[in-house]
Amino acid sequence: MTSDPLTKTEIERYQRQILIEGIGNEGQAKIKKATVGVVGAGGLGSPVCMYLAAAGVGNLIVVDDQKVEASNLNRQLLHWQEDAEASSLKVDSAANKLTAINPGLKLRRHSERIYSDNISDLLDDADILVDCTDNFETRMIMNDYAIRRNVPLVHGAVESLHGQITTVMASRTPCLKCIFPSLPKRKGPIPVLGPAAGTIGALQAVEVIKLITGLGQPLFGKLLVIDVQDNCYEMISVEKDPHCTACSQDK
Ligand SMILES: [Zn+2]
Protein backbone atom coordinates (compact mmCIF):
# COMPACT_ATOMS: atom_id res chain seq x y z
CA MET A 1 0.00 0.00 0.00
CA THR A 2 1.43 3.37 -0.93
CA SER A 3 0.76 6.12 1.57
CA ASP A 4 1.16 9.87 1.66
CA PRO A 5 4.62 10.69 2.89
CA LEU A 6 4.81 12.28 6.32
CA THR A 7 5.67 15.95 6.71
CA LYS A 8 8.55 17.05 8.91
CA THR A 9 6.03 18.33 11.47
CA GLU A 10 4.25 14.97 11.55
CA ILE A 11 7.50 13.07 11.99
CA GLU A 12 8.25 15.28 14.98
CA ARG A 13 4.73 15.05 16.39
CA TYR A 14 4.50 11.26 16.21
CA GLN A 15 8.14 10.59 17.10
CA ARG A 16 7.37 8.42 20.14
CA GLN A 17 5.14 6.02 18.24
CA ILE A 18 7.25 6.06 15.07
CA LEU A 19 10.00 4.70 17.32
CA ILE A 20 7.88 1.60 18.07
CA GLU A 21 9.15 -1.46 16.25
CA GLY A 22 6.45 -2.38 13.76
CA ILE A 23 5.21 1.19 13.23
CA GLY A 24 8.02 3.40 11.93
CA ASN A 25 7.46 6.05 9.25
CA GLU A 26 5.67 3.52 7.06
CA GLY A 27 3.17 2.56 9.77
CA GLN A 28 2.60 6.19 10.68
CA ALA A 29 1.86 6.98 7.03
CA LYS A 30 -0.72 4.16 7.02
CA ILE A 31 -2.28 5.62 10.18
CA LYS A 32 -2.46 9.01 8.43
CA LYS A 33 -4.17 7.50 5.40
CA ALA A 34 -6.68 5.38 7.34
CA THR A 35 -10.39 6.11 7.62
CA VAL A 36 -11.98 4.80 10.82
CA GLY A 37 -15.73 4.80 11.48
CA VAL A 38 -16.69 5.10 15.14
CA VAL A 39 -20.32 4.52 16.09
CA GLY A 40 -21.13 5.99 19.50
CA ALA A 41 -19.41 9.06 20.93
CA GLY A 42 -19.95 8.16 24.58
CA GLY A 43 -18.03 6.27 27.25
CA LEU A 44 -16.22 4.00 24.79
CA GLY A 45 -16.25 6.37 21.83
CA SER A 46 -14.55 9.13 23.83
CA PRO A 47 -11.27 7.31 24.50
CA VAL A 48 -11.37 5.60 21.10
CA CYS A 49 -11.74 8.89 19.20
CA MET A 50 -9.32 10.82 21.43
CA TYR A 51 -6.55 8.24 21.17
CA LEU A 52 -7.05 7.76 17.42
CA ALA A 53 -7.04 11.53 16.81
CA ALA A 54 -3.93 11.92 18.96
CA ALA A 55 -2.24 8.99 17.19
CA GLY A 56 -2.64 10.73 13.83
CA VAL A 57 -5.47 8.74 12.25
CA GLY A 58 -6.12 10.93 9.25
CA ASN A 59 -9.85 10.44 8.81
CA LEU A 60 -12.50 9.78 11.43
CA ILE A 61 -16.21 9.33 10.86
CA VAL A 62 -18.17 9.80 14.08
CA VAL A 63 -21.81 8.70 14.26
CA ASP A 64 -24.07 9.42 17.24
CA ASP A 65 -27.63 10.73 17.36
CA GLN A 66 -27.70 11.89 20.98
CA LYS A 67 -27.26 15.21 22.78
CA VAL A 68 -24.94 15.70 25.74
CA GLU A 69 -26.63 15.34 29.16
CA ALA A 70 -25.28 15.87 32.66
CA SER A 71 -25.46 12.13 33.37
CA ASN A 72 -22.92 11.50 30.56
CA LEU A 73 -20.15 13.47 32.19
CA ASN A 74 -18.84 10.81 34.62
CA ARG A 75 -17.40 8.80 31.74
CA GLN A 76 -17.76 10.52 28.36
CA LEU A 77 -14.61 12.61 28.43
CA LEU A 78 -15.19 14.19 25.04
CA HIS A 79 -18.09 16.10 26.56
CA TRP A 80 -17.81 18.79 29.19
CA GLN A 81 -20.09 20.72 31.53
CA GLU A 82 -20.65 23.48 28.95
CA ASP A 83 -21.80 20.91 26.37
CA ALA A 84 -24.35 19.46 28.79
CA GLU A 85 -25.62 22.96 29.64
CA ALA A 86 -25.99 23.76 25.93
CA SER A 87 -27.50 20.33 25.11
CA SER A 88 -24.95 20.13 22.27
CA LEU A 89 -25.09 17.31 19.80
CA LYS A 90 -22.50 14.75 20.85
CA VAL A 91 -20.98 14.74 17.37
CA ASP A 92 -20.50 18.53 17.50
CA SER A 93 -19.00 18.41 20.98
CA ALA A 94 -16.74 15.54 19.85
CA ALA A 95 -15.68 17.37 16.69
CA ASN A 96 -14.67 20.47 18.69
CA LYS A 97 -12.46 18.50 21.09
CA LEU A 98 -10.97 16.15 18.52
CA THR A 99 -9.93 18.87 16.08
CA ALA A 100 -8.42 20.75 19.03
CA ILE A 101 -6.42 17.63 19.97
CA ASN A 102 -5.25 17.29 16.38
CA PRO A 103 -5.92 20.03 13.81
CA GLY A 104 -4.64 17.70 11.09
CA LEU A 105 -7.64 15.39 11.59
CA LYS A 106 -10.28 15.23 8.86
CA LEU A 107 -13.52 14.51 10.70
CA ARG A 108 -16.93 13.73 9.31
CA ARG A 109 -19.86 13.70 11.71
CA HIS A 110 -23.34 12.26 11.43
CA SER A 111 -25.94 12.98 14.08
CA GLU A 112 -28.01 9.99 13.06
CA ARG A 113 -28.98 6.64 14.44
CA ILE A 114 -27.63 3.71 12.44
CA TYR A 115 -30.16 1.53 10.63
CA SER A 116 -29.60 -1.19 8.09
CA ASP A 117 -30.82 1.13 5.32
CA ASN A 118 -28.56 4.11 6.10
CA ILE A 119 -25.37 2.48 7.37
CA SER A 120 -23.70 2.28 3.97
CA ASP A 121 -24.38 5.99 3.32
CA LEU A 122 -22.70 6.87 6.62
CA LEU A 123 -19.77 4.45 6.75
CA ASP A 124 -19.04 3.32 3.20
CA ASP A 125 -15.51 4.70 3.06
CA ALA A 126 -14.45 3.41 6.51
CA ASP A 127 -11.56 0.92 6.42
CA ILE A 128 -12.29 -0.18 10.00
CA LEU A 129 -15.48 0.02 12.06
CA VAL A 130 -15.49 0.52 15.82
CA ASP A 131 -18.51 -0.49 17.87
CA CYS A 132 -18.83 1.96 20.76
CA THR A 133 -22.60 1.69 20.99
CA ASP A 134 -24.64 0.83 24.05
CA ASN A 135 -27.12 -1.56 22.46
CA PHE A 136 -27.06 -4.87 20.66
CA GLU A 137 -29.57 -3.89 17.97
CA THR A 138 -27.12 -1.34 16.53
CA ARG A 139 -24.22 -3.76 17.05
CA MET A 140 -25.91 -6.42 14.95
CA ILE A 141 -26.57 -3.90 12.15
CA MET A 142 -22.84 -3.03 12.24
CA ASN A 143 -22.02 -6.76 12.34
CA ASP A 144 -24.10 -7.49 9.21
CA TYR A 145 -22.57 -4.53 7.41
CA ALA A 146 -19.01 -5.49 8.36
CA ILE A 147 -19.66 -9.05 7.10
CA ARG A 148 -21.07 -7.73 3.83
CA ARG A 149 -18.05 -5.49 3.22
CA ASN A 150 -15.51 -7.82 4.86
CA VAL A 151 -14.02 -4.97 6.88
CA PRO A 152 -12.85 -5.40 10.49
CA LEU A 153 -15.26 -4.52 13.28
CA VAL A 154 -13.73 -3.79 16.69
CA HIS A 155 -16.42 -4.58 19.25
CA GLY A 156 -16.37 -3.20 22.76
CA ALA A 157 -18.97 -3.19 25.51
CA VAL A 158 -18.96 -2.08 29.12
CA GLU A 159 -21.28 -2.34 32.11
CA SER A 160 -20.54 -1.39 35.67
CA LEU A 161 -16.87 -2.40 36.18
CA HIS A 162 -16.66 -5.10 33.52
CA GLY A 163 -16.60 -5.34 29.78
CA GLN A 164 -15.32 -7.14 26.74
CA ILE A 165 -13.60 -6.61 23.44
CA THR A 166 -13.11 -8.67 20.29
CA THR A 167 -12.37 -8.02 16.63
CA VAL A 168 -14.57 -9.49 13.92
CA MET A 169 -13.18 -10.13 10.45
CA ALA A 170 -15.92 -12.26 9.04
CA SER A 171 -13.82 -14.13 6.48
CA ARG A 172 -11.63 -15.56 9.26
CA THR A 173 -13.31 -15.07 12.65
CA PRO A 174 -16.67 -15.65 14.30
CA CYS A 175 -19.01 -12.69 13.96
CA LEU A 176 -20.85 -11.00 16.83
CA LYS A 177 -23.93 -13.14 16.16
CA CYS A 178 -21.83 -16.33 16.50
CA ILE A 179 -20.59 -15.06 19.87
CA PHE A 180 -23.86 -13.52 21.11
CA PRO A 181 -26.65 -15.50 19.41
CA SER A 182 -29.45 -13.93 21.47
CA LEU A 183 -29.67 -10.22 22.19
CA PRO A 184 -29.56 -9.21 25.85
CA LYS A 185 -32.70 -7.36 26.97
CA ARG A 186 -32.33 -3.61 27.51
CA LYS A 187 -33.08 -2.52 31.03
CA GLY A 188 -32.98 1.22 31.69
CA PRO A 189 -29.78 3.16 32.34
CA ILE A 190 -26.73 0.89 32.44
CA PRO A 191 -24.39 1.45 35.41
CA VAL A 192 -20.87 2.36 34.22
CA LEU A 193 -17.71 3.43 36.01
CA GLY A 194 -15.82 5.93 33.82
CA PRO A 195 -12.38 4.34 34.00
CA ALA A 196 -13.84 0.89 33.19
CA ALA A 197 -15.19 2.37 29.94
CA GLY A 198 -11.83 4.10 29.48
CA THR A 199 -9.99 0.79 29.82
CA ILE A 200 -12.10 -0.97 27.20
CA GLY A 201 -12.08 2.06 24.89
CA ALA A 202 -8.30 2.41 25.11
CA LEU A 203 -7.95 -1.27 24.17
CA GLN A 204 -10.26 -0.73 21.20
CA ALA A 205 -8.02 2.13 20.04
CA VAL A 206 -4.96 -0.14 20.35
CA GLU A 207 -6.75 -2.75 18.31
CA VAL A 208 -7.47 -0.22 15.53
CA ILE A 209 -3.81 0.91 15.39
CA LYS A 210 -2.75 -2.74 15.20
CA LEU A 211 -5.16 -3.44 12.35
CA ILE A 212 -3.94 -0.39 10.41
CA THR A 213 -0.23 -1.06 10.87
CA GLY A 214 -0.13 -4.87 11.07
CA LEU A 215 1.50 -4.60 14.48
CA GLY A 216 1.01 -7.56 16.86
CA GLN A 217 -1.94 -9.92 16.98
CA PRO A 218 -5.49 -8.54 16.78
CA LEU A 219 -8.24 -10.17 18.87
CA PHE A 220 -9.29 -12.43 16.00
CA GLY A 221 -11.35 -15.31 17.41
CA LYS A 222 -10.60 -14.09 20.93
CA LEU A 223 -12.94 -12.39 23.36
CA LEU A 224 -11.04 -10.49 26.03
CA VAL A 225 -13.24 -10.20 29.12
CA ILE A 226 -12.17 -7.64 31.69
CA ASP A 227 -13.41 -7.10 35.23
CA VAL A 228 -11.58 -4.22 36.86
CA GLN A 229 -13.41 -4.76 40.16
CA ASP A 230 -11.27 -7.81 40.91
CA ASN A 231 -8.65 -7.19 38.20
CA CYS A 232 -9.60 -10.31 36.27
CA TYR A 233 -8.58 -10.41 32.61
CA GLU A 234 -9.62 -13.50 30.72
CA MET A 235 -8.99 -14.36 27.06
CA ILE A 236 -11.67 -16.70 25.73
CA SER A 237 -11.36 -18.45 22.35
CA VAL A 238 -14.57 -18.06 20.38
CA GLU A 239 -15.67 -20.27 17.49
CA LYS A 240 -17.55 -19.62 14.30
CA ASP A 241 -21.10 -21.02 14.39
CA PRO A 242 -21.48 -23.04 11.16
CA HIS A 243 -25.23 -22.26 11.22
CA CYS A 244 -24.90 -18.58 12.17
CA THR A 245 -27.79 -16.61 10.69
CA ALA A 246 -25.46 -13.67 10.00
CA CYS A 247 -22.18 -15.06 8.64
CA SER A 248 -22.50 -18.73 7.66
CA GLN A 249 -22.61 -19.87 4.03
CA ASP A 250 -25.88 -21.78 4.60
CA LYS A 251 -27.74 -18.89 6.24
ZN1 LIG B 1 -21.61 -15.47 12.67
Side-chain angles (χ1 to χ4, degrees):
M1 180 165 77
T2 55
S3 302
D4 294 343
L6 300 172
T7 64
K8 193 163 169 273
T9 315
E10 287 166 340
I11 290 171
E12 188 182 338
R13 178 174 182 128
Y14 303 113
Q15 181 201 26
R16 296 303 188 97
Q17 67 193 41
I18 287 172
L19 285 170
I20 296 168
E21 200 176 329
I23 295 188
N25 281 344
E26 193 187 339
Q28 188 62 46
K30 287 180 185 170
I31 293 171
K32 177 182 177 181
K33 193 170 182 227
T35 300
V36 180
V38 180
V39 179
L44 297 172
S46 288
V48 167
C49 290
M50 291 165 95
Y51 274 120
L52 294 183
V57 166
N59 308 278
L60 270 185
I61 306 165
V62 181
V63 185
D64 193 304
D65 67 333
Q66 294 182 334
K67 292 179 176 175
V68 181
E69 298 173 3
S71 64
N72 302 146
L73 303 180
N74 80 311
R75 64 198 184 283
Q76 303 187 9
L77 299 186
L78 274 173
H79 313 305
W80 300 350
Q81 178 71 26
E82 65 201 34
D83 305 306
E85 285 171 5
S87 293
S88 304
L89 291 172
K90 285 191 182 175
V91 290
D92 291 344
S93 163
N96 292 340
K97 314 309 188 318
L98 294 169
T99 50
I101 288 171
N102 195 337
L105 172 69
K106 293 193 189 80
L107 187 141
R108 211 171 75 212
R109 65 188 102 169
H110 297 288
S111 183
E112 289 186 54
R113 191 178 168 96
I114 293 261
Y115 296 101
S116 48
D117 60 359
N118 69 353
I119 188 166
S120 60
D121 294 338
L122 305 181
L123 293 169
D124 224 21
D125 46 354
D127 308 314
I128 298 172
L129 305 174
V130 193
D131 163 20
C132 299
T133 66
D134 60 359
N135 71 87
F136 269 84
E137 289 79 8
T138 307
R139 289 194 165 105
M140 290 307 165
I141 293 168
M142 293 184 74
N143 184 59
D144 289 345
Y145 179 67
I147 294 167
R148 204 159 68 234
R149 280 194 50 212
N150 197 30
V151 291
L153 168 64
V154 179
H155 159 73
V158 65
E159 179 168 343
S160 190
L161 281 83
H162 55 87
Q164 75 223 8
I165 168 171
T166 189
T167 296
V168 169
M169 187 73 206
S171 53
R172 53 189 292 188
T173 75
C175 77
L176 288 185
K177 188 97 180 175
C178 297
I179 304 171
F180 309 106
S182 54
L183 303 187
K185 290 256 184 298
R186 295 200 75 178
K187 47 180 192 311
I190 300 166
V192 183
L193 190 74
T199 302
I200 304 283
L203 288 171
Q204 287 181 282
V206 174
E207 200 67 4
V208 171
I209 303 280
K210 284 159 54 183
L211 290 164
I212 295 171
T213 59
L215 180 69
Q217 297 293 324
L219 287 164
F220 287 158
K222 308 274 185 198
L223 182 71
L224 178 60
V225 179
I226 294 173
D227 183 344
V228 294
Q229 182 163 322
D230 298 315
N231 285 311
C232 292
Y233 300 79
E234 190 178 359
M235 187 85 89
I236 299 169
S237 290
V238 282
E239 304 277 329
K240 214 169 173 69
D241 173 358
H243 306 296
C244 175
T245 54
C247 74
S248 75
Q249 298 297 330
D250 65 350
K251 66 184 173 185

mmCIF file of all heavy atoms in Angstrom, residues 35-64:
data_model
loop_
_atom_site.group_PDB
_atom_site.id
_atom_site.type_symbol
_atom_site.label_atom_id
_atom_site.label_comp_id
_atom_site.label_asym_id
_atom_site.label_seq_id
_atom_site.Cartn_x
_atom_site.Cartn_y
_atom_site.Cartn_z
ATOM 1 N N THR A 35 -9.081 5.542 7.306
ATOM 2 C CA THR A 35 -10.394 6.111 7.625
ATOM 3 C C THR A 35 -11.082 5.147 8.586
ATOM 4 O O THR A 35 -11.288 3.979 8.263
ATOM 5 C CB THR A 35 -11.248 6.272 6.351
ATOM 6 O OG1 THR A 35 -10.564 7.145 5.450
ATOM 7 C CG2 THR A 35 -12.620 6.851 6.676
ATOM 8 N N VAL A 36 -11.401 5.637 9.770
ATOM 9 C CA VAL A 36 -11.983 4.799 10.816
ATOM 10 C C VAL A 36 -13.379 5.324 11.151
ATOM 11 O O VAL A 36 -13.548 6.526 11.391
ATOM 12 C CB VAL A 36 -11.085 4.800 12.079
ATOM 13 C CG1 VAL A 36 -11.701 3.926 13.176
ATOM 14 C CG2 VAL A 36 -9.674 4.302 11.740
ATOM 15 N N GLY A 37 -14.350 4.436 11.156
ATOM 16 C CA GLY A 37 -15.733 4.801 11.478
ATOM 17 C C GLY A 37 -16.080 4.387 12.897
ATOM 18 O O GLY A 37 -16.036 3.200 13.217
ATOM 19 N N VAL A 38 -16.383 5.362 13.734
ATOM 20 C CA VAL A 38 -16.686 5.098 15.142
ATOM 21 C C VAL A 38 -18.176 5.370 15.362
ATOM 22 O O VAL A 38 -18.649 6.482 15.125
ATOM 23 C CB VAL A 38 -15.841 5.999 16.077
ATOM 24 C CG1 VAL A 38 -16.165 5.699 17.539
ATOM 25 C CG2 VAL A 38 -14.345 5.802 15.804
ATOM 26 N N VAL A 39 -18.898 4.354 15.811
ATOM 27 C CA VAL A 39 -20.325 4.515 16.088
ATOM 28 C C VAL A 39 -20.514 4.573 17.597
ATOM 29 O O VAL A 39 -20.204 3.619 18.311
ATOM 30 C CB VAL A 39 -21.152 3.380 15.458
ATOM 31 C CG1 VAL A 39 -22.632 3.567 15.778
ATOM 32 C CG2 VAL A 39 -20.938 3.354 13.949
ATOM 33 N N GLY A 40 -20.994 5.731 18.070
ATOM 34 C CA GLY A 40 -21.133 5.985 19.499
ATOM 35 C C GLY A 40 -20.017 6.904 19.969
ATOM 36 O O GLY A 40 -18.846 6.567 19.883
ATOM 37 N N ALA A 41 -20.402 8.093 20.427
ATOM 38 C CA ALA A 41 -19.407 9.056 20.927
ATOM 39 C C ALA A 41 -19.622 9.253 22.415
ATOM 40 O O ALA A 41 -19.746 10.362 22.917
ATOM 41 C CB ALA A 41 -19.529 10.393 20.180
ATOM 42 N N GLY A 42 -19.694 8.119 23.146
ATOM 43 C CA GLY A 42 -19.952 8.160 24.580
ATOM 44 C C GLY A 42 -18.775 7.655 25.381
ATOM 45 O O GLY A 42 -17.630 8.061 25.152
ATOM 46 N N GLY A 43 -19.060 6.742 26.328
ATOM 47 C CA GLY A 43 -18.032 6.271 27.251
ATOM 48 C C GLY A 43 -16.915 5.495 26.578
ATOM 49 O O GLY A 43 -15.757 5.589 26.981
ATOM 50 N N LEU A 44 -17.243 4.710 25.559
ATOM 51 C CA LEU A 44 -16.216 3.999 24.788
ATOM 52 C C LEU A 44 -15.704 4.874 23.650
ATOM 53 O O LEU A 44 -14.501 4.937 23.384
ATOM 54 C CB LEU A 44 -16.790 2.695 24.213
ATOM 55 C CG LEU A 44 -17.251 1.650 25.229
ATOM 56 C CD1 LEU A 44 -17.980 0.508 24.518
ATOM 57 C CD2 LEU A 44 -16.068 1.101 26.019
ATOM 58 N N GLY A 45 -16.628 5.548 22.981
ATOM 59 C CA GLY A 45 -16.251 6.370 21.829
ATOM 60 C C GLY A 45 -15.309 7.502 22.205
ATOM 61 O O GLY A 45 -14.454 7.894 21.400
ATOM 62 N N SER A 46 -15.443 8.030 23.425
ATOM 63 C CA SER A 46 -14.547 9.131 23.827
ATOM 64 C C SER A 46 -13.086 8.708 23.798
ATOM 65 O O SER A 46 -12.291 9.319 23.070
ATOM 66 C CB SER A 46 -14.922 9.659 25.217
ATOM 67 O OG SER A 46 -16.130 10.382 25.167
ATOM 68 N N PRO A 47 -12.684 7.687 24.563
ATOM 69 C CA PRO A 47 -11.270 7.311 24.497
ATOM 70 C C PRO A 47 -10.850 6.811 23.122
ATOM 71 O O PRO A 47 -9.728 7.089 22.685
ATOM 72 C CB PRO A 47 -11.123 6.206 25.555
ATOM 73 C CG PRO A 47 -12.509 5.744 25.859
ATOM 74 C CD PRO A 47 -13.413 6.908 25.587
ATOM 75 N N VAL A 48 -11.726 6.091 22.436
ATOM 76 C CA VAL A 48 -11.369 5.600 21.095
ATOM 77 C C VAL A 48 -11.030 6.787 20.190
ATOM 78 O O VAL A 48 -9.957 6.840 19.580
ATOM 79 C CB VAL A 48 -12.523 4.754 20.489
ATOM 80 C CG1 VAL A 48 -12.297 4.518 19.004
ATOM 81 C CG2 VAL A 48 -12.639 3.419 21.212
ATOM 82 N N CYS A 49 -11.956 7.755 20.122
ATOM 83 C CA CYS A 49 -11.742 8.889 19.204
ATOM 84 C C CYS A 49 -10.551 9.748 19.650
ATOM 85 O O CYS A 49 -9.770 10.210 18.811
ATOM 86 C CB CYS A 49 -12.985 9.770 19.149
ATOM 87 S SG CYS A 49 -14.370 9.003 18.310
ATOM 88 N N MET A 50 -10.413 9.965 20.953
ATOM 89 C CA MET A 50 -9.323 10.825 21.429
ATOM 90 C C MET A 50 -7.970 10.188 21.144
ATOM 91 O O MET A 50 -7.041 10.851 20.667
ATOM 92 C CB MET A 50 -9.495 11.111 22.923
ATOM 93 C CG MET A 50 -10.700 12.011 23.196
ATOM 94 S SD MET A 50 -11.207 12.021 24.929
ATOM 95 C CE MET A 50 -10.346 13.468 25.511
ATOM 96 N N TYR A 51 -7.832 8.902 21.427
ATOM 97 C CA TYR A 51 -6.551 8.238 21.168
ATOM 98 C C TYR A 51 -6.265 8.142 19.672
ATOM 99 O O TYR A 51 -5.115 8.291 19.248
ATOM 100 C CB TYR A 51 -6.509 6.841 21.805
ATOM 101 C CG TYR A 51 -6.060 6.885 23.249
ATOM 102 C CD1 TYR A 51 -6.873 6.421 24.270
ATOM 103 C CD2 TYR A 51 -4.806 7.395 23.584
ATOM 104 C CE1 TYR A 51 -6.454 6.465 25.593
ATOM 105 C CE2 TYR A 51 -4.382 7.440 24.896
ATOM 106 C CZ TYR A 51 -5.208 6.982 25.903
ATOM 107 O OH TYR A 51 -4.793 7.029 27.201
ATOM 108 N N LEU A 52 -7.302 7.875 18.865
ATOM 109 C CA LEU A 52 -7.051 7.763 17.423
ATOM 110 C C LEU A 52 -6.697 9.123 16.830
ATOM 111 O O LEU A 52 -5.800 9.236 15.986
ATOM 112 C CB LEU A 52 -8.258 7.150 16.711
ATOM 113 C CG LEU A 52 -8.555 5.692 17.071
ATOM 114 C CD1 LEU A 52 -9.741 5.170 16.250
ATOM 115 C CD2 LEU A 52 -7.348 4.779 16.875
ATOM 116 N N ALA A 53 -7.379 10.176 17.286
ATOM 117 C CA ALA A 53 -7.037 11.527 16.809
ATOM 118 C C ALA A 53 -5.613 11.877 17.218
ATOM 119 O O ALA A 53 -4.816 12.370 16.410
ATOM 120 C CB ALA A 53 -8.030 12.550 17.378
ATOM 121 N N ALA A 54 -5.272 11.596 18.465
ATOM 122 C CA ALA A 54 -3.929 11.924 18.956
ATOM 123 C C ALA A 54 -2.861 11.107 18.237
ATOM 124 O O ALA A 54 -1.745 11.591 18.011
ATOM 125 C CB ALA A 54 -3.853 11.674 20.459
ATOM 126 N N ALA A 55 -3.209 9.876 17.852
ATOM 127 C CA ALA A 55 -2.238 8.992 17.190
ATOM 128 C C ALA A 55 -2.019 9.362 15.723
ATOM 129 O O ALA A 55 -1.149 8.795 15.071
ATOM 130 C CB ALA A 55 -2.711 7.540 17.282
ATOM 131 N N GLY A 56 -2.841 10.280 15.203
ATOM 132 C CA GLY A 56 -2.637 10.733 13.830
ATOM 133 C C GLY A 56 -3.470 10.015 12.795
ATOM 134 O O GLY A 56 -3.173 10.094 11.598
ATOM 135 N N VAL A 57 -4.546 9.317 13.235
ATOM 136 C CA VAL A 57 -5.471 8.739 12.250
ATOM 137 C C VAL A 57 -6.013 9.898 11.414
ATOM 138 O O VAL A 57 -6.549 10.864 11.949
ATOM 139 C CB VAL A 57 -6.606 7.952 12.944
ATOM 140 C CG1 VAL A 57 -7.730 7.642 11.969
ATOM 141 C CG2 VAL A 57 -6.051 6.662 13.552
ATOM 142 N N GLY A 58 -5.848 9.784 10.110
ATOM 143 C CA GLY A 58 -6.122 10.932 9.247
ATOM 144 C C GLY A 58 -7.590 11.268 9.108
ATOM 145 O O GLY A 58 -7.959 12.435 8.987
ATOM 146 N N ASN A 59 -8.433 10.234 9.137
ATOM 147 C CA ASN A 59 -9.853 10.443 8.813
ATOM 148 C C ASN A 59 -10.730 9.672 9.794
ATOM 149 O O ASN A 59 -10.633 8.445 9.884
ATOM 150 C CB ASN A 59 -10.142 9.929 7.397
ATOM 151 C CG ASN A 59 -9.171 10.504 6.381
ATOM 152 O OD1 ASN A 59 -9.339 11.613 5.918
ATOM 153 N ND2 ASN A 59 -8.129 9.747 6.076
ATOM 154 N N LEU A 60 -11.560 10.406 10.497
ATOM 155 C CA LEU A 60 -12.499 9.783 11.433
ATOM 156 C C LEU A 60 -13.920 10.111 10.997
ATOM 157 O O LEU A 60 -14.214 11.256 10.633
ATOM 158 C CB LEU A 60 -12.309 10.342 12.846
ATOM 159 C CG LEU A 60 -11.337 9.686 13.830
ATOM 160 C CD1 LEU A 60 -11.458 10.390 15.179
ATOM 161 C CD2 LEU A 60 -11.567 8.193 13.970
ATOM 162 N N ILE A 61 -14.778 9.096 11.051
ATOM 163 C CA ILE A 61 -16.215 9.331 10.856
ATOM 164 C C ILE A 61 -16.866 9.017 12.198
ATOM 165 O O ILE A 61 -16.698 7.911 12.725
ATOM 166 C CB ILE A 61 -16.798 8.393 9.780
ATOM 167 C CG1 ILE A 61 -15.997 8.507 8.478
ATOM 168 C CG2 ILE A 61 -18.272 8.691 9.546
ATOM 169 C CD1 ILE A 61 -16.264 7.372 7.496
ATOM 170 N N VAL A 62 -17.558 9.989 12.770
ATOM 171 C CA VAL A 62 -18.175 9.803 14.083
ATOM 172 C C VAL A 62 -19.691 9.849 13.907
ATOM 173 O O VAL A 62 -20.226 10.809 13.327
ATOM 174 C CB VAL A 62 -17.713 10.894 15.078
ATOM 175 C CG1 VAL A 62 -18.338 10.664 16.451
ATOM 176 C CG2 VAL A 62 -16.195 10.913 15.184
ATOM 177 N N VAL A 63 -20.354 8.797 14.392
ATOM 178 C CA VAL A 63 -21.810 8.697 14.256
ATOM 179 C C VAL A 63 -22.428 8.576 15.640
ATOM 180 O O VAL A 63 -22.051 7.682 16.418
ATOM 181 C CB VAL A 63 -22.213 7.462 13.409
ATOM 182 C CG1 VAL A 63 -23.719 7.450 13.174
ATOM 183 C CG2 VAL A 63 -21.459 7.415 12.091
ATOM 184 N N ASP A 64 -23.359 9.477 15.954
ATOM 185 C CA ASP A 64 -24.074 9.419 17.240
ATOM 186 C C ASP A 64 -25.273 10.348 17.106
ATOM 187 O O ASP A 64 -25.131 11.472 16.625
ATOM 188 C CB ASP A 64 -23.162 9.896 18.381
ATOM 189 C CG ASP A 64 -23.725 9.554 19.749
ATOM 190 O OD1 ASP A 64 -24.878 9.964 20.043
ATOM 191 O OD2 ASP A 64 -23.040 8.872 20.523
#
